[in-house]
Amino acid sequence: MEWEDLARELSQQTDSKIVLLVMDGVGGLPADGKSELEAARKPHLDALAKAAVCGVSDPVMMGITPGSGPAHLALFGYDPLKFQLGRGILEALGSGVEVGRDDLVARGNFATVKGGLVADRRAGRIPTEENARICGYLNEHLPRHAGVEIRVFPGKEHRFVARFTAEGLSDALSDADPQSEGKAPIPTMPLGLEASKASEVVNRFLADVAAVLKGEAKANAALLRGFSKFPSIPTMQELFKLRPAAVANYPMYKGLAKLLGMEVIGVGGETADLFDALEKNWADHDFFYVHYKKTDSTGEDGKFDAKVAAIEALDPFIPRLLALKPDVLVVTADHSTPSSLKCHSWHPNPFLLVSPTAGVDDVAVFTERACAKGLLGRFRSISAMPLMLAHALKLQKYGA
Amino acid sequence: MEWEDLARELSQQTDSKIVLLVMDGVGGLPADGKSELEAARKPHLDALAKAAVCGVSDPVMMGITPGSGPAHLALFGYDPLKFQLGRGILEALGSGVEVGRDDLVARGNFATVKGGLVADRRAGRIPTEENARICGYLNEHLPRHAGVEIRVFPGKEHRFVARFTAEGLSDALSDADPQSEGKAPIPTMPLGLEASKASEVVNRFLADVAAVLKGEAKANAALLRGFSKFPSIPTMQELFKLRPAAVANYPMYKGLAKLLGMEVIGVGGETADLFDALEKNWADHDFFYVHYKKTDSTGEDGKFDAKVAAIEALDPFIPRLLALKPDVLVVTADHSTPSSLKCHSWHPNPFLLVSPTAGVDDVAVFTERACAKGLLGRFRSISAMPLMLAHALKLQKYGA
């Protein structure tokens, strides 16, 4: 029996409430002997760690650096090695693009092609309004082909989402993106026999775009990557009998949450917005995923001090969270983003869990090395959901 | 390759002796800052922890609360998600009822039905002798039906085991027990097409019992649950080349032990009985499972102080165990039973292992939070058996 089957069998709906606060990429590495978490002044998070049981968790397995998709899937109780989500589908859902079972979606860039070579992969980061105008023009002027419907949806700057609707479109396609400038645009290639129709549809679209946009100074070509279809994945309602909500600002995280059946509570980019939304929607859900992005983006930028500041900026909001009296509160990350590496990493996430049934350990601060000595030990992130459900008394006994 | 295949291939018979002392449900949660283990005075167990390597173990996986069956299976080296045992089979085997391949067994209650409704699910907890009289009467007077043999076996108070012998009886049957009083008795329902014969046999039996016992004041009906057949499970001899023995008092644990091929050494309810039996049978076996129940039953009753006392009551017997000079001694639990929860829980079990090859760690007391810092870390209980076999030098090298 697998964890999903166990979850379906043992989970029960109750009134208890769970909050999963994801400080994206918060784990880091020391500079001058202290990691970002060790350098930050964060009295409320440290008090939480003292009241909590702590541990460290590996998103996928030891040594594996995950993307945001697999890292979040694991936290939500889905095996990231079993459920693989294309970035295109996450971007599409997060941007509010409706995606059905016959749809194939991809992330797109408008690009500048000169003399047959990609001169700028981002078309000079054209303004977002310009992007909207171009997408509108394409949707109106792209030639129609029988049995296929295509729409493009503008994103920020040069980014867009392409949606292809037709029967029998496979997403087993290579990226149509040379990845670097000075090279010729490349077509997509089918990665299996079943994708020959999809590759023809996509490559004809790329040629059509170049023809329709040939008069544009900057955005005169499209690059596509992350082809994906709506995956077959059970919802959190089905698996865990939760009424889940996602409080998040960025499209990717909102898209993933929607895919898993969460109600997406979109918020602005201010830290206070997260807690305003949490308070406002507290009565309507029993599981809240709250996504704090700044610890990751500062880490990706390689800014140690800015990441420390991002941790310190979140800390004063912890009392507002506690005032809601969640039955289970977990603070952790999806993956680590050490500012010294300027990217996601494989280091385990610090993890704390507060609940009346948590027990005690001797961890007194919320840092990587303190959490590693906690009662929870080292575990895979996919265990976070069974742990949260158990402490919320939402799991029945297994066997007699 | 799976662990079972590895075990078959690598295990070897040797003269070394292993003792697995299960303090049922010993793990707990703090009251006034101390768990039951932290509050107990237990110098011998603490001295063991000091001499041992320690860790904490999850019976099934993090967050999952197991029944006694799956929790013990894991400790004995069987994947509890692969081998699922009905409670009926465990109760039957533990009560000394012979169960063969064509037998279907169930746990029964005698109940009182009045005006078509269950007035008392336990028939006023009739005396055990009364139960024996009624079972004898039933075995003599139940009408015979061609191709089916049925016997009932008395247990304590109102409990009995029913055994149905016929070809093609499936155990895919729902419980014939309304679970609460004031409701009508319910028949069993087949949970698959293959169980239609079994459901007919069982429901005819329930009607026959009601007819035969209609003159009884209290025990005038039967409720049945936990239908099960003899499972297909390899023995500990087959997998581990052990000559295993179980020293236990309660039917469930004796039943499970018998199922796995252990010789069951039944003992009385006194703590000293366990150690008397161990000493007496020491020469005849190389693996001893010793089951101490009081730490669980006091936890289930929600009695913190009584659970502390149960821990303290076992402690003075540890020197008698050590005097036998086992090559490997493990003290742990099947699952936790915090007295604050009054039931089994998902919290990991403290675990200690003493052996000349154990190595050292800094754990000096046998408690949940101390063990969590031990050299063994946090692991699934199914690793207990490979660890015990290894330290007993009963596992050969894997690969060249």
Side-chain angles (χ1 to χ4, degrees), chain A residues 139-309:
Chain A
N139 287 329
E140 208 166 313
H141 293 90
L142 278 175
R144 315 275 154 188
H145 302 288
V148 185
E149 201 188 304
I150 303 177
R151 272 188 76 83
V152 292
F153 301 85
K156 287 183 181 167
E157 299 177 336
H158 54 284
R159 300 179 193 90
F160 70 93
V161 169
R163 185 182 68 194
F164 304 86
T165 310
E167 261 179 62
L169 293 183
S170 161
D171 59 2
L173 294 173
S174 67
D175 289 349
D177 183 341
Q179 295 293 351
S180 56
E181 288 155 3
K183 292 186 179 170
I186 56 172
T188 186
M189 303 282 282
L191 302 176
L193 280 177
E194 75 281 12
S196 60
K197 176 177 177 180
S199 69
E200 282 169 30
V201 165
V202 168
N203 288 328
R204 189 173 56 191
F205 164 80
L206 292 171
D208 288 347
V209 168
V212 171
L213 297 185
K214 68 174 185 293
E216 293 287 333
K218 291 179 172 172
N220 66 358
L223 311 178
L224 293 176
R225 58 193 189 284
F227 292 96
S228 39
K229 299 205 66 171
F230 197 95
S232 160
I233 190 166
T235 65
M236 293 172 75
Q237 286 88 335
E238 280 174 67
L239 289 181
F240 312 127
K241 301 186 185 73
L242 292 171
R243 292 172 297 142
V247 181
N249 172 252
Y250 279 67
M252 238 282 316
Y253 312 98
K254 293 196 280 186
L256 178 57
K258 188 182 283 187
L259 197 64
L260 303 180
M262 292 192 228
E263 187 188 311
V264 174
I265 302 169
V267 297
E270 297 303 315
T271 304
D273 295 340
L274 299 174
F275 297 88
D276 291 345
L278 193 60
E279 287 164 0
K280 202 171 147 195
N281 293 275
W282 187 247
D284 302 333
H285 299 277
D286 55 12
F287 179 91
F288 294 87
Y289 153 54
V290 182
H291 182 255
Y292 183 65
K293 177 71 177 172
K294 285 174 190 158
T295 32
D296 177 61
S297 43
T298 48
E300 295 251 13
D301 290 344
K303 295 181 173 161
F304 187 97
D305 293 340
K307 189 171 166 189
V308 170

Side-chain angles (χ1 to χ4, degrees), chain B residues 29-175:
Chain B
L29 287 171
D32 295 328
K34 284 186 177 180
S35 72
E36 297 91 329
L37 273 169
E38 289 173 337
R41 218 188 88 78
K42 47 176 178 36
H44 296 105
L45 284 164
D46 289 341
L48 272 190
K50 202 161 189 171
V53 285
C54 297
V56 290
S57 81
D58 292 289
V60 177
M61 58 170 73
M62 284 176 88
I64 300 300
T65 297
S68 300
H72 270 86
L73 276 180
L75 276 180
F76 297 142
Y78 294 78
D79 184 346
L81 294 173
K82 176 170 175 181
F83 298 104
Q84 292 172 47
L85 304 178
R87 182 102 188 192
I89 193 83
L90 298 178
E91 195 96 353
L93 287 165
S95 308
V97 177
E98 294 290 323
V99 184
R101 302 279 156 186
D102 275 341
D103 292 338
L104 170 69
V105 294
R107 305 163 70 198
N109 273 17
F110 287 115
T112 311
V113 171
K114 271 188 197 161
L117 302 178
V118 176
D120 187 333
R121 284 186 66 247
R122 295 176 186 85
R125 292 191 186 271
I126 48 168
T128 302
E129 308 78 50
E130 185 72 354
N131 183 338
R133 178 188 63 78
I134 293 170
C135 284
Y137 188 79
L138 279 175
N139 286 330
E140 209 166 310
H141 292 90
L142 277 176
R144 314 278 154 188
H145 302 287
V148 184
E149 201 189 305
I150 303 178
R151 271 188 76 86
V152 292
F153 301 86
K156 285 182 182 168
E157 300 178 335
H158 53 283
R159 298 179 194 89
F160 69 92
V161 169
R163 185 183 67 194
F164 304 86
T165 310
E167 260 179 62
L169 294 183
S170 161
D171 59 3
L173 294 174
S174 67
D175 288 351

Side-chain angles (χ1 to χ4, degrees), chain A residues 54 56 99 183 209 211 219 271 301 325 352 383 400:
Chain A
C54 297
V56 292
V99 184
K183 292 186 179 170
V209 168
T271 304
D301 290 344
K325 301 193 191 308
L352 69 79
S383 293

Side-chain angles (χ1 to χ4, degrees), chain A residues 1 3 6 10 357-362 373 375-376 379 383 386-387 390-391 393 395-400, chain B residues 29-30 60-70 80-81 84 87 341 344 346-347 368-369 372-373 378:
Chain A
M1 188 179 296
W3 154 238
L6 263 187
L10 303 181
T357 55
V360 284
D361 62 20
D362 300 326
K373 293 181 187 162
L375 191 66
L376 294 176
F379 56 97
S383 293
L387 263 185
H391 284 281
L393 307 182
L395 284 183
Q396 300 168 80
K397 185 165 70 170
Y398 171 64
Chain B
L29 287 171
V60 177
M61 58 170 73
M62 284 176 88
I64 300 300
T65 297
S68 300
L81 294 173
Q84 292 172 47
R87 182 102 188 192
L341 292 179
H344 293 195
W346 61 92
H347 299 86
E368 300 84 354
R369 93 174 99 174
K373 293 180 187 165
R378 183 164 187 159

Side-chain angles (χ1 to χ4, degrees), chain B residues 190-207:
Chain B
L191 301 176
L193 280 176
E194 74 281 12
S196 60
K197 176 179 177 179
S199 69
E200 281 169 34
V201 165
V202 168
N203 288 327
R204 189 173 57 192
F205 164 79
L206 292 172

Side-chain angles (χ1 to χ4, degrees), chain A residues 4 70 73 77-85 232-234 239:
Chain A
E4 287 156 57
L73 276 180
Y78 294 80
D79 184 345
L81 295 172
K82 175 170 175 182
F83 297 103
Q84 292 171 44
L85 304 178
S232 160
I233 190 166
L239 289 181

